[in-house]
Amino acid sequence: MKVTGATGPSASQGSRPARAAGGFSVSGGSSAAPASAPATAASVSGVAGMNALMALQGVEDATERRRRAVRRGSGLLDRLDELKLALLSGEAGEGALERLSRTLREDRPEDADPALTSLLDQIDLRAAVELAKADLRRNAA
């Protein structure tokens, strides 16, 4: 495939198509068909390689699941502390309740360690109790 630049075709190149208004032209011919076959093969192999890479990134080992579970539990404890400080200072704590609710709704990764699972269950329960108490206070007012 040949692209003619902005200078345009000369008078000696009578067999070529006229230059397009955009400033270049593409020569036709049989050379375009072989060039498209390798491009198609390259794009298919590129997609397959990208799918394999995405699949590998999606695989999560036990260490990463444990790390995510601990991070989520720590986040819930932090939100509970924020709520405690807001209530002790006499504030309504609506922002802290919203953050607690959002963190509690996050997907919790399962861990094979029963002690960690039990601890995370207790943290989740405490957060749910605080949210229920706040809901009762709102409905009573």
Side-chain angles (χ1 to χ4, degrees):
M1 177 158 78
K2 182 176 180 182
V3 177
T4 306
T7 58
S10 63
S12 65
Q13 297 173 335
S15 66
R16 290 193 178 160
R19 185 174 73 163
F24 68 92
S25 66
V26 178
S27 65
S30 63
S31 65
S36 65
T40 304
S43 67
V44 170
S45 67
V47 170
M50 182 61 71
N51 285 341
L53 181 61
M54 299 272 291
L56 283 174
Q57 288 177 342
V59 174
E60 189 176 62
D61 64 350
T63 305
E64 182 60 29
R65 275 194 307 272
R66 181 180 180 88
R67 190 176 297 127
R68 281 187 44 230
V70 169
R71 191 177 324 129
R72 181 182 177 275
S74 295
L76 277 171
L77 290 174
D78 290 344
R79 302 298 84 77
L80 286 167
D81 280 343
E82 287 176 14
L83 180 61
K84 176 181 70 173
L85 292 174
L87 292 175
L88 287 174
S89 66
E91 298 173 10
E94 292 299 321
L97 283 169
E98 176 59 34
R99 286 187 295 276
L100 178 65
S101 174
R102 200 174 328 126
T103 305
L104 187 60
R105 286 189 308 257
E106 288 177 359
D107 187 35
R108 178 175 149 187
E110 293 300 319
D111 191 71
D113 183 11
L116 178 61
T117 301
S118 173
L119 183 63
L120 292 174
D121 286 342
Q122 292 174 20
I123 294 171
D124 285 357
L125 178 62
R126 185 64 201 165
V129 166
E130 289 302 325
L131 290 171
K133 285 173 34 181
D135 192 38
L136 284 174
R137 283 192 298 263
R138 273 189 235 130
N139 291 335

